[in-house]
mmCIF file of all heavy atoms in Angstrom:
data_model
loop_
_atom_site.group_PDB
_atom_site.id
_atom_site.type_symbol
_atom_site.label_atom_id
_atom_site.label_comp_id
_atom_site.label_asym_id
_atom_site.label_seq_id
_atom_site.Cartn_x
_atom_site.Cartn_y
_atom_site.Cartn_z
ATOM 1 N N ALA A 289 78.011 -22.103 -18.411
ATOM 2 C CA ALA A 289 78.828 -20.956 -18.779
ATOM 3 C C ALA A 289 78.858 -20.741 -20.283
ATOM 4 O O ALA A 289 78.837 -19.590 -20.761
ATOM 5 C CB ALA A 289 80.245 -21.110 -18.236
ATOM 6 N N ALA A 290 78.908 -21.816 -21.028
ATOM 7 C CA ALA A 290 79.001 -21.714 -22.485
ATOM 8 C C ALA A 290 77.712 -21.212 -23.119
ATOM 9 O O ALA A 290 77.726 -20.553 -24.160
ATOM 10 C CB ALA A 290 79.389 -23.061 -23.089
ATOM 11 N N ARG A 291 76.573 -21.510 -22.499
ATOM 12 C CA ARG A 291 75.289 -21.160 -23.108
ATOM 13 C C ARG A 291 74.699 -19.843 -22.610
ATOM 14 O O ARG A 291 73.880 -19.230 -23.299
ATOM 15 C CB ARG A 291 74.276 -22.285 -22.836
ATOM 16 C CG ARG A 291 74.559 -23.563 -23.582
ATOM 17 C CD ARG A 291 73.568 -24.653 -23.213
ATOM 18 N NE ARG A 291 72.169 -24.237 -23.424
ATOM 19 C CZ ARG A 291 71.112 -24.989 -23.076
ATOM 20 N NH1 ARG A 291 71.296 -26.155 -22.498
ATOM 21 N NH2 ARG A 291 69.893 -24.549 -23.310
ATOM 22 N N ALA A 292 75.095 -19.389 -21.432
ATOM 23 C CA ALA A 292 74.407 -18.256 -20.803
ATOM 24 C C ALA A 292 74.784 -16.918 -21.416
ATOM 25 O O ALA A 292 75.959 -16.633 -21.686
ATOM 26 C CB ALA A 292 74.713 -18.236 -19.312
ATOM 27 N N ASP A 293 73.764 -16.084 -21.649
ATOM 28 C CA ASP A 293 73.994 -14.679 -21.974
ATOM 29 C C ASP A 293 74.086 -13.861 -20.685
ATOM 30 O O ASP A 293 74.828 -12.877 -20.620
ATOM 31 C CB ASP A 293 72.836 -14.145 -22.829
ATOM 32 C CG ASP A 293 72.716 -14.866 -24.153
ATOM 33 O OD1 ASP A 293 73.667 -14.796 -24.951
ATOM 34 O OD2 ASP A 293 71.675 -15.525 -24.375
ATOM 35 N N GLN A 294 73.302 -14.269 -19.695
ATOM 36 C CA GLN A 294 73.331 -13.670 -18.354
ATOM 37 C C GLN A 294 73.629 -14.796 -17.388
ATOM 38 O O GLN A 294 72.814 -15.697 -17.195
ATOM 39 C CB GLN A 294 71.986 -13.012 -18.035
ATOM 40 C CG GLN A 294 71.508 -11.988 -19.045
ATOM 41 C CD GLN A 294 72.205 -10.654 -18.921
ATOM 42 O OE1 GLN A 294 72.808 -10.354 -17.886
ATOM 43 N NE2 GLN A 294 72.135 -9.847 -19.964
ATOM 44 N N LEU A 295 74.821 -14.792 -16.799
ATOM 45 C CA LEU A 295 75.260 -15.858 -15.901
ATOM 46 C C LEU A 295 75.166 -15.359 -14.463
ATOM 47 O O LEU A 295 75.892 -14.435 -14.063
ATOM 48 C CB LEU A 295 76.705 -16.258 -16.227
ATOM 49 C CG LEU A 295 77.346 -17.377 -15.397
ATOM 50 C CD1 LEU A 295 76.546 -18.668 -15.503
ATOM 51 C CD2 LEU A 295 78.776 -17.592 -15.816
ATOM 52 N N VAL A 296 74.258 -15.945 -13.691
ATOM 53 C CA VAL A 296 73.948 -15.434 -12.358
ATOM 54 C C VAL A 296 74.391 -16.442 -11.290
ATOM 55 O O VAL A 296 74.011 -17.618 -11.337
ATOM 56 C CB VAL A 296 72.441 -15.153 -12.195
ATOM 57 C CG1 VAL A 296 72.148 -14.583 -10.807
ATOM 58 C CG2 VAL A 296 71.957 -14.187 -13.282
ATOM 59 N N LEU A 297 75.160 -15.962 -10.330
ATOM 60 C CA LEU A 297 75.639 -16.799 -9.224
ATOM 61 C C LEU A 297 74.741 -16.582 -8.021
ATOM 62 O O LEU A 297 74.670 -15.471 -7.479
ATOM 63 C CB LEU A 297 77.087 -16.443 -8.875
ATOM 64 C CG LEU A 297 78.092 -16.381 -10.032
ATOM 65 C CD1 LEU A 297 79.486 -16.058 -9.497
ATOM 66 C CD2 LEU A 297 78.090 -17.669 -10.822
ATOM 67 N N CYS A 298 74.052 -17.641 -7.603
ATOM 68 C CA CYS A 298 73.186 -17.541 -6.419
ATOM 69 C C CYS A 298 73.291 -18.824 -5.598
ATOM 70 O O CYS A 298 72.318 -19.269 -5.008
ATOM 71 C CB CYS A 298 71.738 -17.232 -6.806
ATOM 72 S SG CYS A 298 71.058 -18.213 -8.160
ATOM 73 N N ALA A 299 74.479 -19.401 -5.572
ATOM 74 C CA ALA A 299 74.760 -20.611 -4.803
ATOM 75 C C ALA A 299 75.426 -20.243 -3.489
ATOM 76 O O ALA A 299 76.079 -19.200 -3.388
ATOM 77 C CB ALA A 299 75.652 -21.551 -5.608
ATOM 78 N N PRO A 300 75.300 -21.071 -2.465
ATOM 79 C CA PRO A 300 75.950 -20.775 -1.186
ATOM 80 C C PRO A 300 77.465 -20.948 -1.263
ATOM 81 O O PRO A 300 77.987 -21.594 -2.192
ATOM 82 C CB PRO A 300 75.323 -21.800 -0.229
ATOM 83 C CG PRO A 300 74.893 -22.920 -1.118
ATOM 84 C CD PRO A 300 74.487 -22.295 -2.407
ATOM 85 N N ALA A 301 78.158 -20.370 -0.308
ATOM 86 C CA ALA A 301 79.616 -20.485 -0.223
ATOM 87 C C ALA A 301 79.966 -21.808 0.464
ATOM 88 O O ALA A 301 79.652 -22.011 1.631
ATOM 89 C CB ALA A 301 80.201 -19.316 0.548
ATOM 90 N N THR A 302 80.608 -22.694 -0.278
ATOM 91 C CA THR A 302 81.068 -23.964 0.251
ATOM 92 C C THR A 302 82.459 -24.239 -0.307
ATOM 93 O O THR A 302 82.950 -23.518 -1.187
ATOM 94 C CB THR A 302 80.129 -25.120 -0.152
ATOM 95 O OG1 THR A 302 80.180 -25.276 -1.582
ATOM 96 C CG2 THR A 302 78.687 -24.848 0.270
ATOM 97 N N ALA A 303 83.078 -25.314 0.157
ATOM 98 C CA ALA A 303 84.365 -25.710 -0.413
ATOM 99 C C ALA A 303 84.223 -26.026 -1.897
ATOM 100 O O ALA A 303 85.143 -25.789 -2.692
ATOM 101 C CB ALA A 303 84.907 -26.924 0.341
ATOM 102 N N GLU A 304 83.068 -26.517 -2.284
ATOM 103 C CA GLU A 304 82.819 -26.889 -3.674
ATOM 104 C C GLU A 304 82.677 -25.671 -4.586
ATOM 105 O O GLU A 304 83.060 -25.710 -5.756
ATOM 106 C CB GLU A 304 81.540 -27.736 -3.743
ATOM 107 C CG GLU A 304 81.281 -28.391 -5.076
ATOM 108 C CD GLU A 304 80.046 -29.270 -5.015
ATOM 109 O OE1 GLU A 304 78.941 -28.735 -4.798
ATOM 110 O OE2 GLU A 304 80.194 -30.501 -5.166
ATOM 111 N N THR A 305 82.127 -24.568 -4.070
ATOM 112 C CA THR A 305 81.914 -23.389 -4.890
ATOM 113 C C THR A 305 83.039 -22.365 -4.779
ATOM 114 O O THR A 305 83.022 -21.358 -5.482
ATOM 115 C CB THR A 305 80.592 -22.696 -4.535
ATOM 116 O OG1 THR A 305 80.623 -22.274 -3.159
ATOM 117 C CG2 THR A 305 79.405 -23.636 -4.735
ATOM 118 N N LEU A 306 84.033 -22.611 -3.935
ATOM 119 C CA LEU A 306 85.126 -21.663 -3.744
ATOM 120 C C LEU A 306 85.865 -21.425 -5.063
ATOM 121 O O LEU A 306 86.353 -22.362 -5.688
ATOM 122 C CB LEU A 306 86.090 -22.196 -2.682
ATOM 123 C CG LEU A 306 87.301 -21.308 -2.360
ATOM 124 C CD1 LEU A 306 86.867 -19.992 -1.722
ATOM 125 C CD2 LEU A 306 88.276 -22.053 -1.455
ATOM 126 N N ARG A 307 85.914 -20.143 -5.489
ATOM 127 C CA ARG A 307 86.602 -19.734 -6.717
ATOM 128 C C ARG A 307 86.161 -20.553 -7.932
ATOM 129 O O ARG A 307 86.958 -20.845 -8.821
ATOM 130 C CB ARG A 307 88.121 -19.841 -6.555
ATOM 131 C CG ARG A 307 88.683 -19.179 -5.311
ATOM 132 C CD ARG A 307 88.765 -17.662 -5.469
ATOM 133 N NE ARG A 307 89.485 -17.073 -4.347
ATOM 134 C CZ ARG A 307 88.911 -16.645 -3.231
ATOM 135 N NH1 ARG A 307 87.594 -16.738 -3.080
ATOM 136 N NH2 ARG A 307 89.631 -16.112 -2.263
ATOM 137 N N MET A 308 84.916 -20.941 -7.971
ATOM 138 C CA MET A 308 84.443 -21.775 -9.072
ATOM 139 C C MET A 308 84.454 -21.002 -10.413
ATOM 140 O O MET A 308 84.608 -21.613 -11.476
ATOM 141 C CB MET A 308 83.036 -22.309 -8.793
ATOM 142 C CG MET A 308 81.927 -21.271 -8.764
ATOM 143 S SD MET A 308 80.307 -21.986 -8.329
ATOM 144 C CE MET A 308 80.151 -23.293 -9.506
ATOM 145 N N ILE A 309 84.301 -19.682 -10.352
ATOM 146 C CA ILE A 309 84.400 -18.880 -11.573
ATOM 147 C C ILE A 309 85.860 -18.473 -11.704
ATOM 148 O O ILE A 309 86.317 -17.459 -11.157
ATOM 149 C CB ILE A 309 83.454 -17.659 -11.518
ATOM 150 C CG1 ILE A 309 82.030 -18.103 -11.247
ATOM 151 C CG2 ILE A 309 83.542 -16.874 -12.816
ATOM 152 C CD1 ILE A 309 81.449 -19.073 -12.284
ATOM 153 N N ASP A 310 86.609 -19.314 -12.421
ATOM 154 C CA ASP A 310 88.054 -19.132 -12.538
ATOM 155 C C ASP A 310 88.432 -18.962 -14.012
ATOM 156 O O ASP A 310 87.573 -18.804 -14.881
ATOM 157 C CB ASP A 310 88.783 -20.327 -11.920
ATOM 158 C CG ASP A 310 88.347 -21.662 -12.489
ATOM 159 O OD1 ASP A 310 87.651 -21.676 -13.529
ATOM 160 O OD2 ASP A 310 88.691 -22.711 -11.909
ATOM 161 N N ASP A 311 89.722 -18.993 -14.294
ATOM 162 C CA ASP A 311 90.181 -18.816 -15.677
ATOM 163 C C ASP A 311 89.566 -19.851 -16.616
ATOM 164 O O ASP A 311 89.170 -19.519 -17.739
ATOM 165 C CB ASP A 311 91.709 -18.914 -15.737
ATOM 166 C CG ASP A 311 92.392 -17.641 -15.277
ATOM 167 O OD1 ASP A 311 92.072 -16.560 -15.805
ATOM 168 O OD2 ASP A 311 93.241 -17.719 -14.375
ATOM 169 N N ARG A 312 89.475 -21.088 -16.167
ATOM 170 C CA ARG A 312 88.950 -22.157 -17.018
ATOM 171 C C ARG A 312 87.495 -21.904 -17.374
ATOM 172 O O ARG A 312 87.111 -21.966 -18.553
ATOM 173 C CB ARG A 312 89.105 -23.513 -16.330
ATOM 174 C CG ARG A 312 88.754 -24.698 -17.238
ATOM 175 C CD ARG A 312 88.683 -25.974 -16.438
ATOM 176 N NE ARG A 312 87.567 -25.948 -15.499
ATOM 177 C CZ ARG A 312 86.305 -26.175 -15.861
ATOM 178 N NH1 ARG A 312 85.982 -26.397 -17.123
ATOM 179 N NH2 ARG A 312 85.341 -26.135 -14.950
ATOM 180 N N VAL A 313 86.671 -21.607 -16.361
ATOM 181 C CA VAL A 313 85.242 -21.364 -16.624
ATOM 182 C C VAL A 313 85.065 -20.099 -17.469
ATOM 183 O O VAL A 313 84.264 -20.067 -18.404
ATOM 184 C CB VAL A 313 84.459 -21.254 -15.303
ATOM 185 C CG1 VAL A 313 83.035 -20.772 -15.549
ATOM 186 C CG2 VAL A 313 84.435 -22.617 -14.605
ATOM 187 N N LEU A 314 85.857 -19.065 -17.166
ATOM 188 C CA LEU A 314 85.727 -17.822 -17.922
ATOM 189 C C LEU A 314 86.212 -17.962 -19.357
ATOM 190 O O LEU A 314 85.853 -17.152 -20.222
ATOM 191 C CB LEU A 314 86.472 -16.696 -17.200
ATOM 192 C CG LEU A 314 85.808 -16.236 -15.899
ATOM 193 C CD1 LEU A 314 86.733 -15.333 -15.104
ATOM 194 C CD2 LEU A 314 84.496 -15.510 -16.191
ATOM 195 N N SER A 315 86.991 -18.991 -19.648
ATOM 196 C CA SER A 315 87.401 -19.234 -21.027
ATOM 197 C C SER A 315 86.263 -19.845 -21.852
ATOM 198 O O SER A 315 86.339 -19.880 -23.077
ATOM 199 C CB SER A 315 88.612 -20.178 -21.065
ATOM 200 O OG SER A 315 88.232 -21.513 -20.710
ATOM 201 N N LEU A 316 85.216 -20.299 -21.160
ATOM 202 C CA LEU A 316 84.089 -20.947 -21.843
ATOM 203 C C LEU A 316 82.954 -19.984 -22.149
ATOM 204 O O LEU A 316 82.089 -20.295 -22.974
ATOM 205 C CB LEU A 316 83.550 -22.091 -20.979
ATOM 206 C CG LEU A 316 84.554 -23.187 -20.590
ATOM 207 C CD1 LEU A 316 83.908 -24.154 -19.600
ATOM 208 C CD2 LEU A 316 85.039 -23.923 -21.814
ATOM 209 N N VAL A 317 82.904 -18.840 -21.470
ATOM 210 C CA VAL A 317 81.751 -17.948 -21.623
ATOM 211 C C VAL A 317 81.789 -17.239 -22.966
ATOM 212 O O VAL A 317 82.834 -17.082 -23.591
ATOM 213 C CB VAL A 317 81.682 -16.910 -20.485
ATOM 214 C CG1 VAL A 317 81.603 -17.570 -19.134
ATOM 215 C CG2 VAL A 317 82.875 -15.958 -20.544
ATOM 216 N N LYS A 318 80.601 -16.771 -23.392
ATOM 217 C CA LYS A 318 80.528 -15.940 -24.591
ATOM 218 C C LYS A 318 81.181 -14.589 -24.312
ATOM 219 O O LYS A 318 81.036 -14.050 -23.211
ATOM 220 C CB LYS A 318 79.067 -15.709 -24.971
ATOM 221 C CG LYS A 318 78.249 -16.963 -25.241
ATOM 222 C CD LYS A 318 76.788 -16.581 -25.475
ATOM 223 C CE LYS A 318 75.928 -17.809 -25.681
ATOM 224 N NZ LYS A 318 74.490 -17.445 -25.912
ATOM 225 N N PRO A 319 81.857 -14.017 -25.287
ATOM 226 C CA PRO A 319 82.429 -12.677 -25.056
ATOM 227 C C PRO A 319 81.354 -11.608 -24.866
ATOM 228 O O PRO A 319 81.658 -10.515 -24.391
ATOM 229 C CB PRO A 319 83.258 -12.425 -26.328
ATOM 230 C CG PRO A 319 82.702 -13.343 -27.354
ATOM 231 C CD PRO A 319 82.217 -14.556 -26.615
ATOM 232 N N THR A 320 80.107 -11.932 -25.211
ATOM 233 C CA THR A 320 78.996 -11.002 -25.019
ATOM 234 C C THR A 320 78.257 -11.240 -23.702
ATOM 235 O O THR A 320 77.241 -10.588 -23.427
ATOM 236 C CB THR A 320 77.984 -11.135 -26.167
ATOM 237 O OG1 THR A 320 77.573 -12.518 -26.266
ATOM 238 C CG2 THR A 320 78.612 -10.704 -27.493
ATOM 239 N N ALA A 321 78.755 -12.164 -22.870
ATOM 240 C CA ALA A 321 78.034 -12.546 -21.660
ATOM 241 C C ALA A 321 78.199 -11.511 -20.554
ATOM 242 O O ALA A 321 79.137 -10.711 -20.519
ATOM 243 C CB ALA A 321 78.515 -13.902 -21.171
ATOM 244 N N HIS A 322 77.259 -11.560 -19.613
ATOM 245 C CA HIS A 322 77.210 -10.677 -18.445
ATOM 246 C C HIS A 322 77.187 -11.567 -17.205
ATOM 247 O O HIS A 322 76.293 -12.405 -17.059
ATOM 248 C CB HIS A 322 75.965 -9.803 -18.532
ATOM 249 C CG HIS A 322 75.748 -8.888 -17.363
ATOM 250 N ND1 HIS A 322 74.491 -8.429 -17.001
ATOM 251 C CD2 HIS A 322 76.614 -8.336 -16.474
ATOM 252 C CE1 HIS A 322 74.606 -7.630 -15.962
ATOM 253 N NE2 HIS A 322 75.875 -7.554 -15.614
ATOM 254 N N LEU A 323 78.144 -11.403 -16.308
ATOM 255 C CA LEU A 323 78.219 -12.159 -15.058
ATOM 256 C C LEU A 323 77.624 -11.328 -13.931
ATOM 257 O O LEU A 323 77.984 -10.162 -13.745
ATOM 258 C CB LEU A 323 79.661 -12.501 -14.730
ATOM 259 C CG LEU A 323 79.924 -13.160 -13.375
ATOM 260 C CD1 LEU A 323 79.380 -14.593 -13.357
ATOM 261 C CD2 LEU A 323 81.411 -13.157 -13.037
ATOM 262 N N ILE A 324 76.710 -11.929 -13.160
ATOM 263 C CA ILE A 324 76.094 -11.264 -12.017
ATOM 264 C C ILE A 324 76.310 -12.127 -10.784
ATOM 265 O O ILE A 324 75.916 -13.307 -10.768
ATOM 266 C CB ILE A 324 74.577 -11.041 -12.233
ATOM 267 C CG1 ILE A 324 74.324 -10.260 -13.526
ATOM 268 C CG2 ILE A 324 73.973 -10.313 -11.040
ATOM 269 C CD1 ILE A 324 72.851 -10.183 -13.908
ATOM 270 N N ASN A 325 76.908 -11.566 -9.746
ATOM 271 C CA ASN A 325 77.136 -12.323 -8.513
ATOM 272 C C ASN A 325 76.338 -11.726 -7.367
ATOM 273 O O ASN A 325 76.595 -10.605 -6.922
ATOM 274 C CB ASN A 325 78.624 -12.348 -8.140
ATOM 275 C CG ASN A 325 78.915 -13.313 -6.993
ATOM 276 O OD1 ASN A 325 78.026 -14.026 -6.521
ATOM 277 N ND2 ASN A 325 80.157 -13.343 -6.546
ATOM 278 N N VAL A 326 75.335 -12.478 -6.886
ATOM 279 C CA VAL A 326 74.561 -12.072 -5.709
ATOM 280 C C VAL A 326 74.676 -13.126 -4.616
ATOM 281 O O VAL A 326 73.832 -13.195 -3.717
ATOM 282 C CB VAL A 326 73.066 -11.846 -6.087
ATOM 283 C CG1 VAL A 326 72.919 -10.576 -6.911
ATOM 284 C CG2 VAL A 326 72.475 -13.046 -6.823
ATOM 285 N N ALA A 327 75.709 -13.945 -4.681
ATOM 286 C CA ALA A 327 75.897 -15.046 -3.730
ATOM 287 C C ALA A 327 76.898 -14.636 -2.665
ATOM 288 O O ALA A 327 76.566 -13.959 -1.684
ATOM 289 C CB ALA A 327 76.341 -16.302 -4.488
ATOM 290 N N ARG A 328 78.136 -15.041 -2.850
ATOM 291 C CA ARG A 328 79.259 -14.657 -1.999
ATOM 292 C C ARG A 328 80.432 -14.329 -2.904
ATOM 293 O O ARG A 328 80.620 -14.929 -3.956
ATOM 294 C CB ARG A 328 79.651 -15.804 -1.041
ATOM 295 C CG ARG A 328 78.687 -16.027 0.107
ATOM 296 C CD ARG A 328 78.821 -14.949 1.173
ATOM 297 N NE ARG A 328 78.098 -15.265 2.373
ATOM 298 C CZ ARG A 328 76.854 -14.894 2.644
ATOM 299 N NH1 ARG A 328 76.183 -14.182 1.754
ATOM 300 N NH2 ARG A 328 76.274 -15.217 3.788
ATOM 301 N N GLY A 329 81.248 -13.375 -2.468
ATOM 302 C CA GLY A 329 82.395 -12.983 -3.261
ATOM 303 C C GLY A 329 83.370 -14.112 -3.507
ATOM 304 O O GLY A 329 84.080 -14.126 -4.515
ATOM 305 N N THR A 330 83.408 -15.086 -2.609
ATOM 306 C CA THR A 330 84.361 -16.185 -2.721
ATOM 307 C C THR A 330 84.070 -17.123 -3.886
ATOM 308 O O THR A 330 84.894 -17.969 -4.212
ATOM 309 C CB THR A 330 84.394 -16.999 -1.421
ATOM 310 O OG1 THR A 330 83.071 -17.424 -1.083
ATOM 311 C CG2 THR A 330 84.952 -16.168 -0.274
ATOM 312 N N LEU A 331 82.923 -16.999 -4.528
ATOM 313 C CA LEU A 331 82.630 -17.852 -5.683
ATOM 314 C C LEU A 331 83.441 -17.451 -6.908
ATOM 315 O O LEU A 331 83.549 -18.226 -7.865
ATOM 316 C CB LEU A 331 81.133 -17.810 -6.040
ATOM 317 C CG LEU A 331 80.220 -18.815 -5.317
ATOM 318 C CD1 LEU A 331 80.157 -18.548 -3.828
ATOM 319 C CD2 LEU A 331 78.830 -18.821 -5.918
ATOM 320 N N VAL A 332 83.984 -16.241 -6.900
ATOM 321 C CA VAL A 332 84.679 -15.712 -8.075
ATOM 322 C C VAL A 332 86.156 -15.494 -7.772
ATOM 323 O O VAL A 332 86.513 -14.913 -6.739
ATOM 324 C CB VAL A 332 84.044 -14.377 -8.515
ATOM 325 C CG1 VAL A 332 84.800 -13.769 -9.697
ATOM 326 C CG2 VAL A 332 82.577 -14.578 -8.885
ATOM 327 N N ASP A 333 87.009 -15.948 -8.675
ATOM 328 C CA ASP A 333 88.428 -15.611 -8.649
ATOM 329 C C ASP A 333 88.550 -14.235 -9.285
ATOM 330 O O ASP A 333 88.443 -14.080 -10.499
ATOM 331 C CB ASP A 333 89.219 -16.653 -9.452
ATOM 332 C CG ASP A 333 90.717 -16.363 -9.469
ATOM 333 O OD1 ASP A 333 91.116 -15.207 -9.320
ATOM 334 O OD2 ASP A 333 91.500 -17.315 -9.665
ATOM 335 N N HIS A 334 88.736 -13.195 -8.475
ATOM 336 C CA HIS A 334 88.687 -11.836 -8.979
ATOM 337 C C HIS A 334 89.848 -11.507 -9.921
ATOM 338 O O HIS A 334 89.702 -10.670 -10.825
ATOM 339 C CB HIS A 334 88.633 -10.843 -7.818
ATOM 340 C CG HIS A 334 87.319 -10.814 -7.136
ATOM 341 N ND1 HIS A 334 86.913 -11.802 -6.271
ATOM 342 C CD2 HIS A 334 86.287 -9.929 -7.188
ATOM 343 C CE1 HIS A 334 85.697 -11.533 -5.833
ATOM 344 N NE2 HIS A 334 85.292 -10.406 -6.373
#
């Protein structure tokens, strides 16, 4: 998350990936970053 300019989610939906993109992870990203989710909606805390 800290290094990516384009952060792409393409992992399966599991208990481990549930809401993995949360406040903590989003506090690490660059303010210029772009998040792309093509996995499952449950990976992101909307």
